[in-house]
Amino acid sequence: MERCRNLRGGPSPRPGFGIVAVQFREPAMRFVLLTAAMLAAPAAAQNDAPIVVIGQRDIEQQIESFVGALTPASPRGQIARFEAAVCPGAFGIPDAQRDTVRDRIRAVAKEVGLDVAAPGCKPNLLVVVTADKTSFIKALGKDHSYMFGDRTPTQIRKIIAEPGPSAAWQIQTMVNADGRPISNEADMPINRSTRTPSRITAAARPAFMAAVVVVENKALDGLTTTQLADYAAMRALARIEPARIDAAAPETILRILDAAADSEVPVTLTQWDFGFLKGLYSSPNNLYAPSQRSEIGRVIEQEMDRSDGGAAPRR
């Protein structure tokens, strides 16, 4: 049984993309590539059923809470994102599934406004499926410590201790207002920019150089490659801590790995997820976190309204 709802108007860039749907997880079914059938079941009508109307203020509060939970940054800080072209790669799954996950992430990245590198590129967004995330991350830290950037052993242990069957992190650098890397001379950062200094926008900002998402294979029982790819896209394209999301928060792909075997889970990015990523990557450069959150919230509202067939709301 599935409940389906259009996320966006117009044709989808990939089969299933832009569809908000729900499936029941089936523990007996291993992680396989599916084509989701969109079934619509007529609801039983009751003449005396009350009509519940959600006000605009309630929606705004939901959006504010959702965006706030996914963007841990100080008021004078910034929410980092990729600025270079994204090149996804997947490991630990069969070739056909690996290609499907990679292509799906490329489609999501393009749709939310990122540049995507040409085929044959060197991956800078890695999705790794493994039997034990703790053992894998420890081995990675021992033999390939560069995969953690400049993180200390204590910070790596914090990644390992992340609750749930997955972990994600980004390697980032600082770029100036023009988007060029800030150079170091005599161990001091030198910011050379053609932009006029401003108190409204930042003179420098963090940018992702790479991202890694590690998922334990036992958490993928009953899920599809699309769900894995969409979950990984959310975790890789933004620094998100799923544990911060309130239980009453709107439906999100970020909950699929921890969901009970008989529970309902989205089959793709939800309109909230898509709006979040699109808002993050369409917002102007050099904004501080509060302005970034405001822009993300505005885009989520637009995507929600578009899914209902109306005009974009005004603020």
Side-chain angles (χ1 to χ4, degrees):
M1 175 181 179
E2 296 181 343
R3 293 199 307 273
C4 308
R5 180 180 179 188
N6 264 334
L7 171 64
R8 310 184 64 210
S12 299
R14 289 291 185 277
F17 186 82
I19 299 297
V20 177
V22 174
Q23 75 174 27
F24 287 99
R25 291 196 63 173
E26 300 178 16
M29 183 175 69
R30 294 299 301 171
F31 175 54
V32 294
L33 175 61
L34 305 174
T35 300
M38 300 292 111
L39 304 177
Q46 294 184 3
N47 293 333
D48 59 347
I51 298 175
V52 179
V53 178
I54 299 178
Q56 179 66 18
R57 181 58 185 164
D58 295 325
I59 293 295
E60 290 177 355
Q61 288 177 341
Q62 278 189 306
I63 291 174
E64 182 178 351
S65 177
F66 183 76
V67 174
L70 301 186
T71 54
S74 64
R76 297 298 290 178
Q78 292 169 287
I79 305 165
R81 57 189 184 181
F82 274 98
E83 299 201 11
V86 173
C87 179
F91 305 89
I93 53 180
D95 291 350
Q97 294 179 348
R98 182 172 65 234
D99 293 344
T100 302
V101 169
R102 180 193 62 205
D103 292 345
R104 173 67 179 187
I105 295 176
R106 293 173 71 90
V108 171
K110 285 181 180 179
E111 190 71 6
V112 300
L114 278 82
D115 292 330
V116 178
C121 55
K122 184 177 181 180
N124 60 1
L125 191 164
L126 307 180
V127 182
V128 180
V129 177
T130 183
D132 187 300
K133 74 170 187 180
T134 299
S135 299
F136 175 82
I137 296 173
K138 286 181 177 178
L140 196 65
K142 180 180 178 181
D143 300 328
H144 304 282
S145 59
Y146 63 89
M147 293 293 293
F148 296 92
D150 58 359
R151 282 180 172 81
T152 65
T154 299
Q155 291 171 323
I156 295 175
R157 286 194 292 272
K158 184 178 179 180
I159 292 174
I160 294 173
E162 180 178 332
S166 68
W169 66 93
Q170 289 84 9
I171 301 172
Q172 69 180 42
T173 187
M174 293 296 294
V175 298
N176 63 20
D178 298 316
R180 294 194 297 266
I182 294 177
S183 59
N184 282 281
E185 298 178 11
D187 294 328
M188 289 194 66
I190 305 297
N191 187 351
R192 296 185 176 93
S193 175
T194 60
R195 300 285 184 94
T196 303
S198 169
R199 293 186 179 181
I200 300 175
T201 58
R205 61 182 183 269
F208 296 153
M209 296 189 296
V212 182
V213 181
V214 179
V215 181
E216 292 182 342
N217 52 23
K218 63 177 179 285
L220 298 175
D221 279 350
L223 301 181
T224 70
T225 48
T226 294
Q227 288 167 306
L228 170 60
D230 286 4
Y231 175 86
M234 282 291 289
R235 296 297 310 271
L237 299 180
R239 181 167 291 151
I240 288 173
E241 299 174 17
R244 288 170 50 93
I245 302 174
D246 187 86
E251 199 168 48
T252 170
I253 198 75
L254 292 169
R255 291 199 182 105
I256 62 171
L257 300 186
D258 298 311
D262 59 349
S263 62
E264 296 179 341
V265 292
V267 299
T268 68
L269 291 170
T270 69
Q271 61 190 23
W272 291 81
D273 299 325
F274 180 81
F276 175 85
L277 289 178
K278 187 175 180 180
L280 174 61
Y281 280 93
S282 65
S283 60
N285 293 329
N286 305 320
L287 295 179
Y288 288 109
S291 297
Q292 287 179 290
R293 292 190 185 102
S294 178
E295 179 65 16
I296 293 170
R298 183 186 67 81
V299 174
I300 291 176
E301 278 193 66
Q302 287 182 338
E303 291 302 318
M304 291 174 60
D305 189 83
R306 193 172 300 167
S307 73
D308 291 332
R314 295 180 180 181
R315 296 191 106 184

